[in-house]
Amino acid sequence: MRRFERAGIDFVMLEDSTALTDIYGGTFESELKWTPRAPKHDPMALASRLAYETDRIGIVVTASTSFYPPFLLTRLLSTLDHLSRGRIGWNIVTSTGDRAAQNFGRDTLPTHDARYEIAEEFVDVANKLWASWDADAASPIVPNLESYVDHTKVRTIDHDGEHFSVRGPLNTLPSPQGKPVLCQAGASKSGIDLAARVSDLVVAAPKGRDAMREYRKTVRARATEFGRDPDAVKVLYMVTPILGETEDDARRKAERYYEATDAAIARRLIMLSGDIDFSLLDVDKPIPDDLRTEGSTSILDNLRKWANGRSIRETVATERTESLRLVGTPQTVADEMESVMDDVGGDGFLFFGGGGGVLNRRYVDDVCDGLMPELSRRGVAGTGYRGSNFREHLAGAR
């Protein structure tokens, strides 16, 4: 984490899941052998420790609107924002898979679109709670102070909606940033609408320049329709730069990374098995036309587009969670990153290390000691933290 901060990385995102699933193959064996999602500890406690060890880097934690009560999560995020001195963000997710629901006293999750309706109201409640204290409600502690908090600057929210009833106010002091930075990885229509309506950061992996350009155009158009300044919604594309001292070195690393090994294929199929057991499908045939999910619908839709009639094995062997492949020296990869930004627009990239033990110290070294210094030299990233908190830094970032 300190390495990321010294390199000038803007923030880290701590993804999360709330179930050890046995969907793939009907047992925990593959999930625990290839570790794509588990074991996994709670990102909230980890964020507190990371904040203690660092000074300026943003820390985005993942939390589900399907399982937390709005008051509890809003209070928790506000507390983390104080502990981090204004560096917390919230990655808003709705969760997928009934195994997660069964850890919270439910048999199944609501449908995909219903989950996003709940998420919209959840974020509305959270925003009201964060606004239930005026920024200057609390006074500096000085001798003879009669009241630490001006009660006239604290109010109930009295929210009574379709899914939540919350009186408020929060019983925490105002968040240092006003509220944490809100992030969302919207790819489906419902997800894009939620991201455009409430998010400060949007993370996505549309594949190829044309799709990246169209995605950003859609998000900005929807933000405008919701009455927001589209420039207030920063769009980041997910990539996994493969770096080498020479082009040949980088190509050899990429061949190993993208190699269609049994482990790579198994890990990808397990990740796709949110509520579909891919072990029951013939991986040497195309994805069945009638295959449906109420989990990550956008992931399945994008997988079909990427497959283009190929077998499941061929598809998952070449498919990765990234917008484009970046393979080369730090200089040539930085060239491509700049070219993409100039061509399709956007606000930057989210480096994704693959998960399931794929992210390692050597990869961190390549990014922090190779790519980030090159981007910093060009003045496009890693040029220093701006403002006094995460939100102010993002507002001033390129």
Side-chain angles (χ1 to χ4, degrees), residues 279-292:
S279 74
L280 299 177
L281 303 179
D282 186 342
V283 296
D284 292 311
K285 291 183 178 180
I287 300 169
D289 292 337
D290 60 352
L291 194 66
R292 296 289 183 271

Side-chain angles (χ1 to χ4, degrees), residues 221-382:
R222 294 298 287 151
T224 300
E225 291 170 17
F226 287 125
R228 299 185 66 193
D229 176 0
D231 290 335
V233 185
K234 296 190 178 295
V235 177
L236 307 180
Y237 307 109
M238 295 177 70
V239 293
T240 305
I242 306 296
L243 302 159
E245 294 184 7
T246 66
E247 294 294 322
D248 286 343
D249 180 33
R251 268 193 295 273
R252 284 191 293 270
K253 287 184 178 180
E255 287 171 1
R256 291 193 297 271
Y257 179 74
Y258 292 108
E259 186 179 1
T261 63
D262 289 343
I265 293 172
R267 183 179 287 114
R268 196 71 186 113
L269 289 175
I270 295 164
M271 286 295 294
L272 292 168
S273 294
D275 57 359
I276 300 170
D277 185 356
F278 272 82
S279 74
L280 299 177
L281 303 179
D282 186 342
V283 296
D284 292 311
K285 291 183 178 180
I287 300 169
D289 292 337
D290 60 352
L291 194 66
R292 296 289 183 271
T293 179
E294 283 295 340
S296 296
T297 59
S298 61
I299 291 178
L300 183 58
D301 290 343
N302 289 334
L303 191 70
R304 274 205 176 92
K305 292 177 185 177
W306 181 257
N308 195 26
R310 292 179 295 176
S311 71
I312 295 172
R313 184 189 302 277
E314 292 175 292
T315 302
V316 300
T318 56
E319 195 273 342
R320 293 291 188 276
T321 306
E322 58 187 0
S323 286
L324 69 162
R325 291 192 177 182
L326 297 173
V327 179
T329 65
Q331 293 76 25
T332 58
V333 168
D335 287 342
E336 179 70 4
M337 292 171 71
E338 281 199 275
S339 172
V340 169
M341 284 293 99
D342 291 340
D343 181 17
V344 309
D347 301 281
F349 298 90
L350 180 71
F351 297 148
F352 177 68
V358 176
L359 181 64
N360 55 45
R361 290 183 181 274
R362 181 175 297 175
Y363 185 77
V364 169
D365 289 343
D366 286 345
V367 171
C368 291
D369 296 338
L371 183 56
M372 286 304 297
E374 179 63 24
L375 295 172
S376 178
R377 185 184 66 78
R378 300 174 185 219
V380 296

